[in-house]
Amino acid sequence: MDWIVLLPPLIAIGLALLTRQVFLSLVAGLLVGTTILAGGNPIGGLIQMADVIVGVFGDQSNTKILLFSLLVGGLIALVQVSGGVSAFVQYVQKSGLAKTRRGVECMAWFTGLLIFVESSITSLIVGTLSRPFFDRLQLPREKLAYYCDATSAPVCMQIPLNGWGAFVLGLLLVQGYESNAVSTLIGALAFNFFCIIAILFALFLALTGWGFGSMRKAEIRALSSGDLIRPGAKPMIADEVAGLEPVKPSLGRIYDFLIPVAVMIMMIFVSLYVTGDGNLMEGSGSTAVLWAVSVAVLVGLIIYMIPREGQMLLSPAKSTDYVIKGASGLVGVVALLVLAFALGQVSRDLEMGPYIVSVLGEDIWTWWLPAMVFLIGCFVSFTLGSSWTCFAILIPLALPLAEGLEIPTSLMLGSVLSGGVFGDHASPLSDTSIISSMASACDHVDHVNTQLPYSLLIAAMAFVTFLVAGILT
């Protein structure tokens, strides 16, 4: 009955995709998991579920991400009511930089490529910057959510000058790679096939406008009917936040939008430097995003107080009201993250990852191993909704196996990284996917449903590539 440990995430994911009721689905999966931990006692499962949910806030990293998500709503509200977003959109329109659908999609992709310091920040900036252009050209929110997601985790892992790289380096150091941890990670990037293909595939879609499946249907819907989201959909950001209008349109300036965003990006580097004691690679990603968005909100409050044309754009009291209003519009996102974090903890308590790895066994052809490790990583990360947990489970197992069987370490590490990123990119439980839905004002289940066929296609291409690499090496 060891397979029973797979039930909680599978039930949560299956119900979410089937019923579109993501909150109830997560609660159902969580209750099944805690009931299993309680020895099959449903009453004990209910009690333990409450404890696990409360325990989410006992982890500082979790709490910082939750506060970050609330403050993101406040920042979005501020830059919209300031008129800065509208002024920026008008400027870009006049300059001809984003007149066409292809141009707007390429802009979203390129923005995601530039912002590689933290996956949540990438999703936020791509969504906030691009949403007005996608809306104007009747591109569906699902497509924007895809670009937010496709350029977050894959880019952050492929350009690991961030917390992602630091985490993997830490795991390598624990495995005894003290003298060559950096070179091992750099070597693995050439075999990080899922990330490479995901980034290039997103660019291909942006340049050609090609698409298929549910994403194509969403594009046809938006273009023909003007419905940017599916009728009946529930965007991850409340309408009262996404639809805020400038309070004084004539006073809004481009810098009202660009300065807070630039400060947020700059503060990511400063925060990583400070929390890493001078080493960006060792900084705390959760602390960095919280500090960054907090300072960005504070800077917004200050610059909106500066008089222009004889009057103040926003008083401190008014700005604070909008920050609170924006934060309240993202309470649903925070609740979803809490449940996702809780389910991830229950899956770890059930030791689901080691069980999946044990199913592999030892009797397997060497050339098949990189592809198999990639598949296991995909399943672990998708069901847990966490690439970092997948890394922590598989790296200590895969690298000694590679050394013992004389498989290139860089190839095996690349397969672990690729498998881990698949889940962070595709799973409905992933905080990156949730924040991508939020940043694009898209229904979360719609985002997952439209993105999953693309993610599976990319995973299939990566699997074949790992097979070929295994044979050739």
Side-chain angles (χ1 to χ4, degrees), residues 243-260:
L244 283 173
E245 297 293 334
V247 290
K248 298 177 182 178
S250 62
L251 298 182
R253 302 291 184 268
I254 293 177
Y255 58 75
D256 292 325
F257 169 67
L258 293 182
I259 290 179

Side-chain angles (χ1 to χ4, degrees), residues 25-239:
S25 300
L26 283 172
V27 170
L30 185 57
L31 180 57
V32 169
T34 53
T35 299
I36 294 172
L37 288 173
N41 185 341
I43 303 300
L46 278 172
I47 295 173
Q48 191 160 349
M49 182 173 72
D51 291 339
V52 171
I53 291 175
V54 172
V56 168
F57 299 92
D59 186 305
Q60 289 191 11
S61 295
N62 290 346
T63 304
K64 289 172 183 176
I65 291 174
L66 296 175
L67 290 174
F68 157 77
S69 299
L70 287 175
L71 283 175
V72 161
L75 180 62
I76 291 174
L78 269 185
V79 297
Q80 288 190 173
V81 299
S82 72
V85 174
S86 297
F88 179 78
V89 170
Q90 292 174 7
Y91 171 78
V92 174
Q93 288 174 347
K94 292 178 180 178
S95 65
L97 296 176
K99 285 185 176 181
T100 66
R101 296 164 69 89
R102 302 284 73 76
V104 167
E105 291 184 48
C106 287
M107 181 184 72
W109 178 87
F110 187 67
T111 302
L113 198 65
L114 289 178
I115 313 300
F116 54 82
V117 291
E118 212 288 322
S119 56
S120 298
I121 291 292
T122 300
S123 299
L124 171 64
I125 292 177
V126 171
T128 304
L129 178 66
S130 305
R131 180 153 42 90
F133 300 102
F134 273 66
D135 290 356
R136 181 176 62 85
L137 293 173
Q138 294 183 314
L139 284 160
R141 296 276 175 80
E142 294 95 328
K143 192 68 175 289
L144 176 56
Y146 170 74
Y147 285 116
C148 291
D149 219 335
T151 59
S152 55
V155 170
C156 286
M157 192 65 264
Q158 192 59 23
I159 309 177
L161 302 175
N162 46 46
W164 290 68
F167 182 73
V168 174
L169 285 175
L171 293 174
L172 292 176
L173 290 172
V174 171
Q175 294 303 306
Y177 289 81
E178 290 89 353
S179 61
N180 61 341
V182 174
S183 60
T184 300
L185 174 57
I186 293 175
L189 298 181
F191 296 98
N192 193 11
F193 296 132
F194 180 83
C195 292
I196 294 171
I197 297 172
I199 295 168
L200 295 178
F201 186 76
L203 176 60
F204 171 75
L205 295 183
L207 291 172
T208 65
W210 182 75
F212 65 91
S214 49
M215 183 71 80
R216 191 61 177 173
K217 292 178 181 178
E219 292 187 78
I220 294 173
R221 179 204 69 219
L223 189 59
S224 61
S225 66
D227 292 330
L228 300 176
I229 58 175
R230 173 182 54 82
K234 298 178 181 179
M236 285 297 294
I237 181 172
D239 291 338

Side-chain angles (χ1 to χ4, degrees), residues 2 45 48 54 56 79 96 122 168 238 271 311 356 366 391 457 461:
D2 291 341
Q48 191 160 349
V54 172
V56 168
V79 297
T122 300
V168 174
S271 303
Q311 54 182 313
I356 295 172
T366 299
F391 297 159
L457 174 60
M461 296 167 66

Side-chain angles (χ1 to χ4, degrees), residues 3 17 66 75 97 215 309 381 455:
W3 60 267
L17 296 177
L66 296 175
L75 180 62
L97 296 176
M215 183 71 80
E309 298 183 12
S381 61
S455 303

Side-chain angles (χ1 to χ4, degrees), residues 296-360:
V297 169
L298 179 61
V299 169
L301 292 175
I302 293 173
I303 63 175
Y304 302 154
M305 285 192 302
I306 300 174
R308 57 189 74 175
E309 298 183 12
Q311 54 182 313
M312 187 183 298
L313 179 61
L314 286 171
S315 67
K318 199 68 175 177
S319 292
T320 302
D321 288 343
Y322 280 114
V323 170
I324 295 173
K325 183 175 182 178
S328 67
L330 292 185
V331 170
V333 172
V334 173
L336 190 58
L337 285 171
V338 169
L339 292 174
F341 288 152
L343 184 59
Q345 182 59 53
V346 167
S347 296
R348 288 189 289 274
D349 291 342
L350 289 169
E351 298 184 343
M352 192 200 76
Y355 165 72
I356 295 172
V357 174
S358 70
V359 174
L360 173 63

